Amino acid sequence: MTTDCPDISIVAPAFNESDTIKTFHARLTAVLDALDLTSEIVFINDGSTDDTLDQILALKAVDPRIVLIDLSRNFGKEIALTAGLDHATGRATIPIDTDLQDPPELIPDLIAKWQQGFQVVNARRRSRQGESYIKKATAAQFYRIMQRFGQRYQLPKNVGDFRLIDRKALDAVNTVREHHRFMKGIFALVGFRHAYVDYDRDPRFGGTTSFNYWKLWNFSLEGITSFTTFPLRLFSYMGFLVALVSFVYGIIFLARVLAFGDPVSGFPTLFLTMTFLGGVQLIGLGVIGEYLGRVFNETKNRPLYFVNDIYAQSTETPKALSVSTPIRVAVSDKTYAGD
Ligand code: UDP
Ligand code: MG
């Protein structure tokens, strides 16, 4: 870390991005060079299995603005981003994907808004090119649930992790150390003066997205269960409803028995009721289990990530410092969420 802070920190997590990282750096530096501000680029190598690390080191040899945090393994994008945000020293910080889906050319617009006094400037996607209908539809549904059942703060629509955060807002974000990191929610949680800049999101430049529908589903669950108690409440209502129906049905039964005597029948009804209720109860238990799992993971209070090396800025030869980062070390929730 430098003693005098740069104006702008770029935070770029990279996992197997060897196809794009050079182009990303070229486009980014073209933008940064045109600015009248000082900057640093914090790359996070999130346990890449290709030569992403070597490529970043090669870039670092020619670009003294680069800081590289090499994590001990793959922790997933949210945690990688957190590691980067922890180490960003700028007066304003901009997290950006290295796969060029977030256009670096938008950075001056974000900065302009910041200079007008906004503390969080969100880049908002105007269109979702190259994304399937199902992805768009599921995304829309997800936002609807979050908007309806979230807390007092609202989750902005069509906003990813690409944004500008000023020092105060970032310090606030960095105090939130929960393990289930739904970053978009965390940014909404901390508040501060928000502004928006619209842009068109590009299809991936190279490589393949590590996202698939299963991951997207888990990501939505993450958002919903980390920021709302809507599923728990849903089951309370469902319980009331089922109880009410069975009460009414019970009265009808009683009336029939009193009026017409008791023909012993109704086995199918009994069978269906039992299996239906059994199913509903199991789902309810699953929902409670989901929240309980989160409580379990948070109470362990493990560090969020582990750092292998930090290649700090402005060392003459890129030399690995064996830095351990005390409070901010790691966990992936994968051990839990994966099974
Ligand atoms: N990424 C990461 N760790 C991971 C997966 C992704 O650091 O485990 C990085 C990746 O290199 C990219 C960004 O996070 O810079 C977004 O990843 P991706 O393009 O796969 O996600 P999507 O664009 O679908 O949100
Ligand atoms: Mg991407």
Side-chain angles (χ1 to χ4, degrees), residues 101-121:
Q101 277 191 290
D102 305 329
E105 292 73 22
L106 197 71
I107 289 174
D109 295 350
L110 299 178
I111 292 174
K113 284 269 183 199
W114 170 54
Q115 286 170 336
Q116 286 168 24
F118 291 100
Q119 292 164 295
V120 178
V121 186

Side-chain angles (χ1 to χ4, degrees), residues 13-15 17 44 46 74-77 80 96-99 101 135 201 204 208-211 334:
F15 172 61
E17 296 287 2
I44 305 95
D46 187 20
N74 177 256
F75 285 94
K77 180 188 175 178
I96 182 169
D97 285 0
T98 40
D99 62 3
Q101 277 191 290
K135 189 166 177 184
R201 186 156 167 95
R204 235 172 184 280
T208 49
T209 172
S210 50
F211 254 79
K334 293 217 165 110

